[in-house]
Amino acid sequence: MSGYGKMTWTLKQYVWSVRRELWGNRFLIFGPLVMVCLPLVLLCLKLHTSHLKVIKGTAEIVPPTLLFRITAEMLFGIANVAALTVGCIYALGTFYNERKDLSVLFWKSLPVSDRLSVAAKASVVLAIGPILSLFLSWVATIVLIVATAQAYGISPVGLAEQASVGHLMIDDVAYIVLNTLWWLPIYAVLFLVSASVRTVPAVWVLGGLAGLYIVEAIGLRTNHITGIIWDRFLHFPGTGFHDAQMKIIATQSDGFDVQHTPTDKIVTGHLDFLALFSMPSLWWGVLLATVCFVLTVWLRRRAEPI
């Protein structure tokens, strides 16, 4: 077989391996779909029943561009969290499950290398999940434009121009890449645990975190390591709602007042993506993930039924 033919055959194996993972784990698709569509439907119903018609000289209602941006970024965050949630569930169980149900014997009988198998499984959480999250975010953005414009009685095209929807969607791509790199060590460690333990992986992960916290808090009187771990889950970069430094003040006496600095930052502002992508903590995580993936391939090659 020539080099080109061998490459084509490997690519076909990879594509079918990814499709096999998606067929066997439908929650990877339906989980984010439900988690994004449900709040989107509720928001649209609320906007449909609201009376937010724009009246000249009236400052008692929330500006349409601000309301759209808040709801769009909220749904974008939900899509991201959904991708992280289903990705962690998948990564924690995939290698363990194939050893437990003996399917590892069947897959090893096929002419598919262990590196390709691990690469296909990693692609599910590092490519398919983020792409689905981005697609759902864009669909939600378009639906919100129409729903918000209808609630305010304005043109959807005009609202899209005022809110710089094109820039928002482009920023979403950078956010998705940034968040995927930020969560990469989480997925890699869970893959490693799934490929190595012989009992329920969730017990090992939760037990390990609890033991680490007890040792640090009681024995060393610090929380540095556990703080780094939680930082990966709770303080990930790429949240425009946070970085825009908005401050929302709502009181019963004066209605709804919004203060933010500056005004155009929330609608058309951009983060310093170069600074975010150059964070040392981001690339230390990528390095750790690379080591974990290498160990996972090594363990997959020696995998036996449980």
Side-chain angles (χ1 to χ4, degrees), residues 67-87:
L67 180 61
F68 163 74
R69 185 62 184 262
I70 291 174
T71 53
E73 289 186 350
M74 182 185 68
L75 289 174
F76 176 74
I78 292 175
N80 265 321
V81 172
L84 174 65
T85 302
V86 298

Side-chain angles (χ1 to χ4, degrees), residues 11 21 32 40 43 49 51 82 84 88 108 135 167 174 182 196 208 224 226 245 282 289-290 297:
L11 181 60
E21 297 300 325
L40 176 62
L43 281 171
T49 57
H51 301 283
L84 174 65
C88 288
K108 279 183 169 294
F135 173 75
H167 292 297
W182 184 252
S196 58
H224 183 66
T226 52
Q245 298 178 355
L282 180 70
T290 302
V297 173

Side-chain angles (χ1 to χ4, degrees), residues 97-164:
N97 291 336
E98 70 176 15
R99 288 184 294 137
K100 185 178 180 180
D101 62 16
L102 306 182
S103 61
V104 66
L105 298 177
F106 171 73
W107 300 123
K108 279 183 169 294
S109 66
L110 299 178
V112 179
S113 67
D114 295 292
R115 285 181 297 179
L116 191 144
S117 297
V118 173
K121 292 177 182 292
S123 298
V124 170
V125 295
L126 300 179
I128 304 300
I131 291 174
L132 177 62
S133 175
L134 182 63
F135 173 75
L136 292 175
S137 300
W138 283 354
V139 171
T141 298
I142 296 172
V143 174
L144 280 174
I145 290 174
V146 178
T148 305
Q150 183 180 14
Y152 279 88
I154 59 178
S155 170
V157 178
L159 176 60
E161 293 178 352
Q162 292 178 10
S164 300

